[in-house]
Amino acid sequence: MQQALSTHPDFQNLQFKSELGVLEVIGHLIIWLLLSIVTFGLAMFVFPYYMQRYTIGRTFAFNAQGQRVGQLICTIDLASIIGNVLLWVLISLVTLGLGYFVFLYKISAHCLSHTKLISVTDMP
């Protein structure tokens, strides 16, 4: 499979570049800080998913000539992650918080598994 993708002309020499700005990050963090306060910290179990989704959504694919040819889109939503969140809340409580570190790795894997590359012609 790896070799098939690398010989496909549409996938040769693509480079991903995140165009996430500092002010965007600060705004995003303020929103999640407020949500964390309102939910007594429970929002912190959902935050890492949305942080990954936010970063992935501001990542673009560029061809060898430096032209934007696509964008990464993460398709997770609250409905698709709620089961995982509940499971990891329980695991984190039972392990006195240590399970949360494993949870962070699983979040990255989950978000990447639900990410697709769309062409600039398909972008809104």
Side-chain angles (χ1 to χ4, degrees):
M1 180 77 170
Q2 181 74 13
Q3 188 174 10
L5 286 177
S6 64
T7 58
H8 193 281
D10 292 339
F11 291 105
Q12 287 184 352
N13 299 319
L14 286 184
Q15 181 173 355
F16 295 122
K17 180 182 176 189
S18 179
E19 295 183 356
L20 184 62
V22 174
L23 291 178
E24 290 177 293
V25 169
I26 291 170
H28 195 251
L29 285 174
I30 289 171
I31 291 168
W32 280 97
L33 178 63
L34 293 172
L35 283 171
S36 179
I37 292 168
V38 169
T39 63
F40 301 105
L42 291 177
M44 288 295 96
F45 282 97
V46 179
F47 167 72
Y49 282 101
Y50 284 93
M51 181 185 69
Q52 290 278 341
R53 180 177 178 225
Y54 193 73
T55 303
I56 290 169
R58 278 141 188 86
T59 303
F60 299 91
F62 292 85
N63 64 15
Q65 293 76 36
Q67 298 168 318
R68 185 184 288 182
V69 295
Q71 180 179 8
L72 293 178
I73 301 293
C74 183
T75 60
I76 63 160
D77 58 8
L78 187 59
S80 71
I81 64 173
I82 198 69
N84 287 340
V85 169
L86 294 175
L87 174 67
W88 285 101
V89 165
L90 179 63
I91 290 171
S92 292
L93 290 173
V94 169
T95 63
L96 303 175
L98 294 176
Y100 189 78
F101 296 107
V102 175
F103 176 57
L104 293 175
Y105 285 95
K106 293 299 289 178
I107 289 168
S108 292
H110 183 84
C111 289
L112 288 173
S113 294
H114 290 84
T115 297
K116 59 185 176 178
L117 174 62
I118 62 167
S119 169
V120 290
T121 58
D122 297 333
M123 289 173 26

